[in-house]
């Protein structure tokens, strides 16, 4: 989702998050802004206030690498946020992919079905769940709709019971959305889901406005599952090579722990269900209706056509 001045929006939001004290500046006057003033960012970055103002207002289109590095340091950006700054300041040529890939390779689906006995799903930058194995369906079984992680976390009341730390989960999915969607500023699906969830969730709108960029790659999660109880799981995200924008999410537990036993029980529950629960039945591999009577150990949770 883009605006007319994405770079300026990002810079304003990030300077709001840095206090003068954090930046090593002393303030002796009553302040009308939440974070740093433009002139303070300019001072810290070693550029003129006029230049930084033009950069933030979108009137300076070709900042040098040195200037961007200096601004990143002034705003105390981490590596991911700094990379996002560079991407906004130097957008990819129009020939670059404008839409994330929405179909999942059948080889990856087979891997999820037959070799991953733990919850696994493939998501796109809009946080749509394109394909999930049976264990993942059972994992998310307490949600009314299991098609988009943003909608599930912010619009389904079940999320606050499911996640042991809902605030962390909410902030994490928004930061991941910001990171994954950046290479696809013209993807209409991304704009659609951001608009939908913003309209119905003030919590999402507030987090989205902070412009925090935090790709989720690996972390521990506390889950309260409605059928198998509490689980302490490890989450890993893998980039799907050859499918721009797709990531494989996998949840696992330390062997020999109660959480590992809970995952075994979850898989048993998954093996015993027939999957006919009112979804559209479409397959994220090729857009077909998935009614060929073949292997049903996975389900696509969202139409990808």
């Amino acid at each position: 989702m883009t605006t007319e001045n994405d770079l300026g929006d990002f810079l304003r939001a990030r300077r709001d998050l840095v206090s003068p004290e954090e930046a090593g500046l002393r303030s002796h006057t009553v302040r009308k802004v939440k974070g740093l003033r433009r002139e303070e960012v300019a001072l810290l970055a070693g550029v003129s206030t006029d230049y930084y103002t033009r950069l933030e207002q979108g009137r300076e289109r070709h900042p040098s690498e040195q200037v961007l590095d200096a601004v990143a340091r002034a705003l105390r950006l981490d590596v991911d946020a700094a990379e996002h700054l560079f991407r906004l300041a130097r957008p990819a040529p129009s020939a670059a992919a404008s839409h994330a890939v929405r179909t999942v390779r059948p080889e990856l689906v087979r891997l999820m079905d037959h070799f991953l006995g733990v919850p696994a799903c493939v998501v796109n930058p809009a946080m749509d769940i394109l394909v999930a194995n049976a264990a993942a369906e059972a994992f998310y079984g307490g949600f009314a709709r299991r098609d988009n992680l943003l909608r599930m976390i912010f619009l389904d009341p079940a999320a606050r019971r499911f996640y042991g730390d809902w605030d962390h989960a909410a902030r994490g999915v928004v930061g991941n959305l910001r990171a994954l969607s950046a290479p696809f500023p013209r993807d209409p699906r991304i704009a659609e889901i951001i608009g939908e969830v913003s309209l119905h969730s003030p919590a999402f709108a507030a987090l989205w406005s902070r412009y925090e960029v935090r790709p989720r790659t690996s972390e521990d999660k506390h889950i309260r599952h409605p059928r198998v109880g509490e689980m302490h799981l490890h989450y890993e995200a893998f980039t799907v090579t050859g499918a721009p924008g797709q990531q494989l999410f996998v949840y696992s537990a330390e062997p020999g722990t109660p959480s590992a036993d809970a995952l075994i029980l979850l898989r048993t529950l998954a093996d015993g269900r027939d999957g006919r629960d009112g979804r559209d039945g479409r397959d994220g591999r090729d857009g077909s209706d998935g009614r060929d009577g073949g292997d049903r150990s996975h389900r696509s949770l969202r139409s990808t056509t």
Side-chain angles (χ1 to χ4, degrees):
M1 183 177 185
T2 63
T3 67
E4 293 183 357
N5 185 14
D6 285 331
L7 176 59
D9 292 341
F10 177 77
L11 292 173
R12 282 188 292 274
R14 295 311 300 244
R15 67 180 170 88
D16 282 349
L17 299 180
V18 182
S19 69
E21 293 74 21
E22 289 174 320
L25 300 175
R26 292 184 179 181
S27 179
H28 303 288
T29 60
V30 177
R31 302 179 65 86
K32 297 181 180 179
V33 296
K34 292 186 291 184
L36 295 177
R37 300 186 178 102
R38 284 175 177 165
E39 58 267 27
E40 291 170 333
V41 177
L43 173 65
L44 292 167
V47 299
S48 70
T49 300
D50 177 69
Y51 181 90
Y52 178 78
T53 299
R54 287 189 283 115
L55 183 65
E56 195 172 282
Q57 291 178 344
R59 294 186 289 120
E60 171 54 57
R61 300 289 186 178
H62 304 287
S64 68
E65 181 175 336
Q66 291 78 10
V67 166
L68 294 175
D69 278 333
V71 170
R73 289 194 298 271
L75 295 177
R76 302 174 66 83
L77 302 183
D78 60 19
V79 172
D80 297 316
E83 289 180 355
H84 189 71
L85 170 64
F86 271 78
R87 187 179 292 114
L88 292 176
R90 299 177 176 181
S94 57
S98 60
H99 296 69
V101 175
R102 298 190 179 189
T103 56
V104 181
R105 296 199 313 270
E107 296 84 1
L108 179 55
V109 175
R110 285 199 298 270
L111 172 69
M112 294 166 59
D113 288 346
H114 302 298
F115 297 100
L116 294 180
V118 294
C121 59
V122 176
V123 304
N124 66 9
M127 298 291 111
D128 292 317
I129 300 177
L130 302 179
V131 171
N133 65 6
E137 282 205 20
F139 183 66
Y140 290 124
F143 290 87
R145 296 175 60 179
R146 282 93 76 188
D147 57 353
N148 181 277
L149 290 173
L150 274 185
R151 188 185 291 120
M152 291 160 62
I153 289 176
F154 287 98
L155 302 185
D156 193 325
R160 292 184 181 268
R161 300 186 295 271
F162 182 78
Y163 292 102
D165 187 343
W166 181 87
D167 289 332
H168 180 76
R171 189 171 179 177
V173 74
V174 172
N176 202 30
L177 171 67
R178 181 70 72 178
L180 294 183
S181 64
F184 307 97
R186 296 177 295 278
D187 191 316
R189 173 56 188 161
I190 296 172
E192 176 189 13
I193 192 64
I194 291 172
E196 175 191 344
V197 181
S198 295
L199 183 63
H200 297 288
S201 173
F204 170 78
L207 286 172
W208 184 247
S209 70
R210 292 172 63 89
Y211 279 80
E212 292 184 320
V213 185
R214 298 189 182 279
R216 297 170 64 215
T217 56
S218 176
E219 65 179 7
D220 294 326
K221 285 186 172 291
H222 175 204
I223 301 298
R224 295 189 293 249
H225 195 274
R227 299 190 68 184
V228 303
E230 295 204 12
M231 295 184 286
H232 294 273
L233 304 178
H234 184 72
Y235 156 92
E236 289 281 344
F238 303 91
T239 298
V240 180
T241 304
Q246 289 185 9
Q247 285 199 321
L248 171 65
F249 290 179
V250 180
Y251 292 88
S252 63
E254 184 177 349
T257 64
S259 295
D261 293 339
L263 281 184
I264 294 173
L265 176 58
L266 190 70
R267 188 162 65 247
T268 301
L269 294 173
D271 291 341
R273 60 185 294 180
D274 63 10
R276 297 185 180 275
D277 53 3
R279 300 199 189 95
D280 60 15
R282 301 183 72 88
D283 191 315
R285 292 173 291 180
D286 56 14
S288 64
D289 63 8
R291 297 174 183 171
D292 59 1
D295 185 357
R296 296 186 179 181
S297 60
H298 89 283
R299 296 290 179 271
S300 171
L301 303 188
R302 179 181 178 271
S303 170
T304 59
T305 56

